[in-house]
Amino acid sequence: MPQMDAKQAEKISKALSDPTRLKILSEIQKKHDDWLYCVDLYENINLAQPSICHHLKQLTETSIILPEKEGRNIKYTMNNAVIDDYIGFLQGLKK
């Protein structure tokens, strides 16, 4: 299993430092079928569409969430492998 490097962990930490991005992750995690459509986020998060797109881009660039195009819509799911690697990196910092 490849170890996460410090640079990737830093990118993820920066992405997770924003409360809106944490809310987006929470909304994705709530979905029973593991996928959340972009339009569902507009209904649940009180931000303009360009702002939500900006936050989604930040999260997808770190691979915390994975996008999948379905017709004209994009749906998102959590990337548990990256999250597990990030948690492992943080645990590796403990003595």
Side-chain angles (χ1 to χ4, degrees):
M1 176 163 101
Q3 288 279 35
M4 178 172 287
D5 65 7
K7 192 166 198 82
Q8 178 66 12
E10 177 188 3
K11 278 181 72 172
I12 291 172
S13 295
K14 285 181 181 179
L16 295 177
S17 69
D18 186 283
T20 300
R21 292 183 200 127
L22 292 174
K23 174 79 172 148
I24 289 170
L25 292 175
S26 176
E27 291 296 323
I28 293 171
Q29 187 270 333
K30 286 182 194 176
K31 294 303 282 187
H32 297 292
D33 60 359
D34 293 332
W35 290 96
L36 180 76
Y37 287 90
C38 197
V39 258
D40 296 333
L41 284 172
Y42 303 139
E43 296 170 4
N44 297 325
I45 296 178
N46 192 19
L47 283 177
Q49 184 259 349
S51 295
I52 292 175
C53 287
H54 167 75
H55 290 295
L56 288 169
K57 182 180 179 203
Q58 297 296 315
L59 292 169
T60 55
E61 284 178 351
T62 62
S63 299
I64 294 173
I65 61 173
L66 299 172
E68 183 177 299
K69 191 164 173 103
E70 188 175 83
R72 295 179 67 190
N73 296 315
I74 298 176
K75 59 184 183 176
Y76 296 89
T77 191
M78 301 290 277
N79 187 347
N80 291 327
V82 169
I83 293 170
D84 289 342
D85 288 347
Y86 178 67
I87 291 168
F89 176 86
L90 293 176
Q91 288 177 335
L93 298 175
K94 291 187 334 186
K95 285 189 175 193

